[in-house]
Amino acid sequence: MLPTILDLSSLRAAYQSGLTPLDAIEEVIARRAASKDPAIFITPVPDEQLRAAAKALMARAPEANSLPLWGVPFAVKDNIDAAGLPTTAACPAYEYRPEADSTVVARLKAAGAIIIGKTNLDQFATGLNGTRSPYGAPRSVFDAAYISGGSSSGSAVTVASGLAAFALGTDTAGSGRVPAAFNNLVGIKPTPGLLPNTGAIPACKSVDCITIFAATVSDGVAIRKVAEGFDAADPFSRRAKPANLPVSGLRIGVLADAEREFFGDKEVEALYDQAIERARALGATIVPFDYAPFREAAALLYDGPWVAERLAAVETFLATNAADFDPTVRGIIEGAKGKTAVEAFNGRYRLEELRRKTEAEWETADVLLLPTAPTTYTVADMLANPVVLNGRLGRYTNFVNLLDCAAIAVPAGFGKGGVPGGVTVIAPAFTDDALAPLADALHRAASSGMGIDRQAAIPEASPVVPGDDGLVPIVVVGAHLTGMPLNHELTRPGGRRIKSCRTAPDYRLFVLPDTVPPKPGLIREPGFDGKGLEVEVWKVTAEAFGRFVQNIPAPLGIGKVTLDDGSQISGFLCEAHAIEGAREITELGGWRAYVTDQRIPK
């Protein structure tokens, strides 16, 4: 049986105990059929296609947990392309069918994740509330009268209700954070450009981010590391330049009294105060700061010329299909028609002036701790006053991408009415990894569970550890060894060799016939008493690892290889049928010895 919330640690433990991805997918299918919220998905992957995907994964990588996200079900916001599924951006007339996955989806699938469907959103990712869609309004998993948050509404609900282990959203103004707060989840909002936007429909192209909803901070970070990496096809993609935060003596900026605004919601204000005290108990120094320049920068996103970017994204379609837009979304986007180039430059100048003012605040605080949203609303209230109430939800989120920050939203507890609130930790660009331990500690200290399961214990097996280099180890045995013909596939993307070593004694090595360049087949035979085989351990980026997996020709695949020190690392293995009649070279001790013996060109 799977737990209510599908965190990675529990899934991996279940797989190690004998559960298969097909078993997990059957459970997902059953949960999806039993869901009482009909507005979560725009396009669910049909049941038989899900089963086929699970079977294909088991054939490609038969060993449990042999890929970073082996058998992990996930959902994708329907403004991000997934091959074979329509992309609508919550506008049926806009629908198209992409031939290829977006870059991020491709990386996740290569790592073993299984997509279960495309999720609902505020149309063209314009909104923070989740009610602006012709496909309905997904609801908070805790009270169907309340909004789920938007624009990544369906993505948050899939994770919070236990349908998926994680989901992709997007975030321009807070759409990867507000839905997390309203559904008791973690929202990973990376530094802009860290996750490439290739294959995602832009809202404001210069500040958009693909984001991750997950049950825990460690899950979100692990998934982000698989998905991130420079992509030349995205003009806004950036190479990571990790930045540190103090390990001790951390200064956390909190709202000064003059900048506190909760629109009368005393319960959310109390949850914010409790989060501040948790941060203090963790050893942080609490520093009130002036939020005014951040608030003024936030206002530029909708009240300034950046709204013209939303028009730029859909201008041609709007010219012929205005009637197909949600009325509120159309009003916002058409409001950009009067904007001039002069206003755009003046807006940019004003943003830089405000950025300079915020620099003074960063001199006094290492991290900001803010309410994710100052309050929440019922669906009925939001529909009655869609612009004003939506604007309130972004009070503490709209500035983050404009000012090039990383952020992680975490649960902060529940009010007396049973509706959750959240807080967000924010720091300058590329502090993504450095923010994670604090976010993780705050989530654990809140004791609010994960998603709909308020009593769930956050797995201790997957704490966030600072200093992880984010690289994936891989064992190579043949043509990828140092000096061999395919070694460039490791070195070109920046891989580095960790060590040369040997496998455990029960491995055998064969020459695979008719392979170019020549390749060996590594087979494990329990009980075989050999001397071990020469291999190398390399570390590569998650992107490079995904390419390996995607491009490996049959009969080779990736599985866990046991080394002579007892450790297990993913590496190249061979299907047993392929060695029938093949020459065995185990006695030579490794592929390099065979190449030397046969004088095969390196």
Side-chain angles (χ1 to χ4, degrees), residues 201-406:
I201 297 170
C204 291
K205 193 170 187 177
S206 67
V207 292
D208 286 344
C209 295
I210 290 179
T211 65
I212 297 159
F213 295 99
T216 70
V217 174
S218 61
D219 282 6
V221 170
I223 294 155
R224 192 206 81 220
K225 287 180 180 295
V226 172
E228 71 184 26
F230 179 75
D231 179 8
D234 173 12
F236 290 96
S237 182
R238 300 158 77 185
R239 291 181 172 85
K241 300 176 182 178
N244 295 320
L245 293 169
V247 176
S248 60
L250 191 69
R251 302 168 301 167
I252 296 183
V254 301
L255 293 170
D257 289 344
E259 284 295 332
R260 281 178 164 243
E261 178 57 82
F262 294 89
F263 302 100
D265 194 327
K266 297 297 184 183
E267 293 190 358
V268 174
E269 185 171 16
L271 292 176
Y272 179 56
D273 288 333
Q274 292 165 22
I276 292 172
E277 291 310 308
R278 292 184 194 113
R280 196 190 309 273
L282 290 169
T285 299
I286 304 302
V287 182
F289 78 103
D290 182 10
Y291 183 63
F294 297 88
R295 173 172 48 78
E296 291 181 48
L300 291 173
L301 196 59
Y302 277 99
D303 297 338
W306 272 266
V307 72
E309 272 204 283
R310 294 184 183 271
L311 176 60
V314 295
E315 184 177 20
T316 301
F317 181 74
L318 179 65
T320 57
N321 294 78
D324 293 308
F325 279 69
D326 173 271
T328 302
V329 172
R330 177 181 173 181
I332 292 168
I333 294 175
E334 287 187 333
K337 288 184 175 180
K339 299 295 182 183
T340 67
V342 171
E343 287 178 286
F345 279 106
N346 284 336
R348 175 64 187 273
Y349 301 154
R350 180 57 179 157
L351 177 62
E352 296 309 313
E353 291 170 359
L354 293 168
R355 191 190 308 275
R356 186 57 49 86
K357 290 183 178 181
T358 64
E359 289 171 358
E361 303 306 315
W362 287 118
E363 290 295 322
T364 64
D366 304 303
V367 176
L368 306 183
L369 176 64
L370 296 175
T372 302
T375 187
T376 187
Y377 296 103
T378 65
V379 171
D381 287 341
M382 183 59 65
L383 292 175
N385 194 1
V387 175
V388 172
L389 299 191
N390 185 90
R392 292 177 179 178
L393 298 180
R395 182 179 179 89
Y396 300 117
T397 59
N398 286 3
F399 75 88
V400 177
N401 287 341
L402 282 173
L403 293 179
D404 197 22
C405 295

Side-chain angles (χ1 to χ4, degrees), residues 3-5 141-142 159-162 183-185 414 443 447-458:
T4 301
I5 300 301
V141 296
F142 298 99
V159 179
S161 59
N183 291 280
N184 197 35
L185 292 175
F414 291 79
H443 185 193
S447 300
S448 61
M450 302 181 291
I452 199 170
D453 189 351
R454 294 179 57 173
Q455 307 306 316
I458 299 173

Side-chain angles (χ1 to χ4, degrees), residues 498-515:
I498 302 304
K499 63 179 179 178
S500 295
C501 56
R502 304 187 78 81
T503 67
D506 55 351
Y507 284 86
R508 300 171 67 187
L509 195 66
F510 296 81
V511 180
L512 296 178
D514 303 319
T515 54

Side-chain angles (χ1 to χ4, degrees), residues 39 41-42 88-92 119-124 126 129-138 151 153 326-327 329 383:
F41 291 99
I42 291 178
T88 71
C91 181
T119 57
N120 205 353
L121 66 150
D122 280 326
Q123 191 179 76
F124 293 110
T126 302
N129 61 84
T131 69
R132 299 171 179 175
S133 170
Y135 298 97
S151 61
S153 52
D326 173 271
V329 172
L383 292 175

Side-chain angles (χ1 to χ4, degrees), residues 475 499-507 524 530-535 537 561-569:
V475 175
K499 63 179 179 178
S500 295
C501 56
R502 304 187 78 81
T503 67
D506 55 351
Y507 284 86
R524 188 174 193 183
K531 298 180 180 179
L533 297 159
E534 179 199 359
V535 293
V537 178
V561 177
T562 302
L563 302 180
D564 54 3
D565 63 359
S567 62
Q568 290 188 324
I569 299 176

Side-chain angles (χ1 to χ4, degrees), residues 5-268:
I5 300 301
L6 304 178
D7 66 280
L8 295 187
S9 181
S10 296
L11 263 178
R12 287 167 177 159
Y15 286 149
Q16 204 63 43
S17 298
L19 189 83
T20 69
L22 183 58
D23 297 329
I25 286 301
E26 291 292 355
E27 178 68 19
V28 168
I29 290 171
R31 292 184 183 188
R32 197 170 62 180
S35 173
K36 297 179 180 179
D37 191 336
I40 298 174
F41 291 99
I42 291 178
T43 306
V45 174
D47 295 353
E48 284 307 311
Q49 288 187 28
L50 280 178
R51 294 184 179 107
K55 292 174 182 177
L57 172 66
M58 293 163 64
R60 171 165 68 97
E63 192 167 340
N65 299 319
S66 56
L67 297 174
L69 298 175
W70 193 77
V72 177
F74 76 110
V76 177
K77 184 176 180 179
D78 197 24
N79 63 339
I80 303 171
D81 288 347
L85 299 173
T87 301
T88 71
C91 181
Y94 189 80
E95 178 182 317
Y96 64 91
R97 291 184 174 267
E99 295 181 358
D101 290 319
S102 62
T103 298
V104 165
V105 168
R107 291 172 180 174
L108 295 169
K109 288 167 69 174
I114 299 173
I115 182 172
I116 68 166
K118 302 292 291 297
T119 57
N120 205 353
L121 66 150
D122 280 326
Q123 191 179 76
F124 293 110
T126 302
L128 286 172
N129 61 84
T131 69
R132 299 171 179 175
S133 170
Y135 298 97
R139 311 301 176 103
S140 166
V141 296
F142 298 99
D143 189 332
Y146 280 83
I147 59 175
S148 60
S151 61
S152 310
S153 52
S155 288
V157 176
T158 58
V159 179
S161 59
L163 299 180
F166 71 93
L168 298 181
T170 60
D171 188 307
T172 302
S175 297
R177 293 163 278 158
V178 172
F182 292 170
N183 291 280
N184 197 35
L185 292 175
V186 169
I188 302 289
K189 193 226 69 76
T191 297
L194 192 60
L195 269 63
N197 290 326
T198 309
I201 297 170
C204 291
K205 193 170 187 177
S206 67
V207 292
D208 286 344
C209 295
I210 290 179
T211 65
I212 297 159
F213 295 99
T216 70
V217 174
S218 61
D219 282 6
V221 170
I223 294 155
R224 192 206 81 220
K225 287 180 180 295
V226 172
E228 71 184 26
F230 179 75
D231 179 8
D234 173 12
F236 290 96
S237 182
R238 300 158 77 185
R239 291 181 172 85
K241 300 176 182 178
N244 295 320
L245 293 169
V247 176
S248 60
L250 191 69
R251 302 168 301 167
I252 296 183
V254 301
L255 293 170
D257 289 344
E259 284 295 332
R260 281 178 164 243
E261 178 57 82
F262 294 89
F263 302 100
D265 194 327
K266 297 297 184 183
E267 293 190 358
V268 174

